[in-house]
Amino acid sequence: MQQCLVIGRTNVGKTAFVLNFAEYLGLSRVEITFNYPDGFATKQVFRLEHARQELIGRGQHKTRCLQALEVEVPAGKSKKRILLTDSSGFSEGIPRDQALRQAAAQTLLEIKKAALVLHVLDASIPGAVGEVDRQIANYAETRGGYVILANKMDLPQARDGLQRIRSQFPKQLVIPISALYKRGFKEVKAIVAHNL
Ligand SMILES: Nc1nc2c(ncn2[C@@H]2O[C@H](COP(=O)(O)OP(=O)(O)O)[C@@H](O)[C@H]2O)c(=O)[nH]1
Ligand SMILES: [Mg+2]
């Protein structure tokens, strides 16, 4: 199954995006497979409301693994089943905690394998584009199927942030979204359907 991998720094809204995008695609329950760097995997079924409560806003210390769920994306008259994968957030520098280092290495390897990479940035903060984001963009864009999602566009400060992001990544496709309010999801759906 082809994979759409969601990456970005901690707290930019990766998990909010994945869960709300799954809901937007029609799911009310999600079966999430937690794939740990050491090869251990476990599955858990959540109602979407419960998944949001449990998994959003838990930062890098909670998400130390890849969290994959299957979704169906309409493509023309048919539907494509794809794996939508949430990752643990990148932080600036090399994490001191070994589990976080392993999770970051696991995410980097997965970037190579994924059919499409969605790189989420928080457009509402002054440092929307960090050094680690530039490095990830350089690494990820060499492989095609790479799109930037400028998130939190519901916040007023995000308009300026979107401009800064676009000026820093003039060659990349940047889609403004609000993961919280499911805005920009139609565009994201079109990109996913097109790339997978
Ligand atoms: N205002 C606003 N807040 C958001 C949005 N998306 C996520 N958040 C908030 O940002 C915080 C981090 O979200 P989360 O999905 O856990 O980020 P992750 O660490 O990248 O997975 C939470 O408090 C979310 O409620 C958005 O589109 N708008
Ligand atoms: Mg998360």
Side-chain angles (χ1 to χ4, degrees), residues 63-78:
T63 322
R64 289 174 171 185
C65 63
L66 295 168
Q67 305 182 2
L69 52 108
E70 283 183 31
V71 293
E72 282 190 334
V73 183
K77 283 180 186 157
S78 63

Side-chain angles (χ1 to χ4, degrees), residues 9-16 55-58 151-152 154-155 178-180:
R9 278 185 292 161
T10 302
N11 217 41
V12 295
K14 295 178 298 299
T15 303
L55 304 173
I56 295 174
R58 293 303 180 87
N151 189 31
K152 308 198 186 182
D154 56 286
L155 298 174
S178 167
L180 207 54

Side-chain angles (χ1 to χ4, degrees), residues 51-161:
R52 273 191 289 259
Q53 282 166 17
E54 286 291 311
L55 304 173
I56 295 174
R58 293 303 180 87
Q60 61 182 146
H61 301 293
K62 196 72 188 183
T63 322
R64 289 174 171 185
C65 63
L66 295 168
Q67 305 182 2
L69 52 108
E70 283 183 31
V71 293
E72 282 190 334
V73 183
K77 283 180 186 157
S78 63
K79 283 186 168 186
K80 286 181 192 168
R81 260 192 110 62
I82 63 154
L83 216 50
L84 183 62
T85 305
D86 188 7
S87 62
S88 60
F90 285 107
S91 51
E92 297 292 348
I94 298 167
R96 218 171 297 152
D97 181 307
Q98 193 192 0
L100 291 179
R101 268 203 313 275
Q102 286 171 343
Q106 183 193 27
T107 303
L108 284 173
L109 279 177
E110 212 63 22
I111 289 175
K112 292 260 176 205
K113 290 195 247 162
L116 176 64
V117 171
L118 302 176
H119 184 176
V120 183
L121 299 176
D122 180 349
S124 75
I125 56 170
V129 181
E131 180 53 31
V132 71
D133 291 305
R134 277 185 281 274
Q135 287 172 4
I136 291 169
N138 285 337
Y139 176 71
E141 74 183 350
T142 58
R143 27 134 299 130
Y146 171 74
V147 175
I148 291 171
L149 303 183
N151 189 31
K152 308 198 186 182
M153 292 307 299
D154 56 286
L155 298 174
Q157 324 78 282
R159 295 187 62 148
D160 291 345

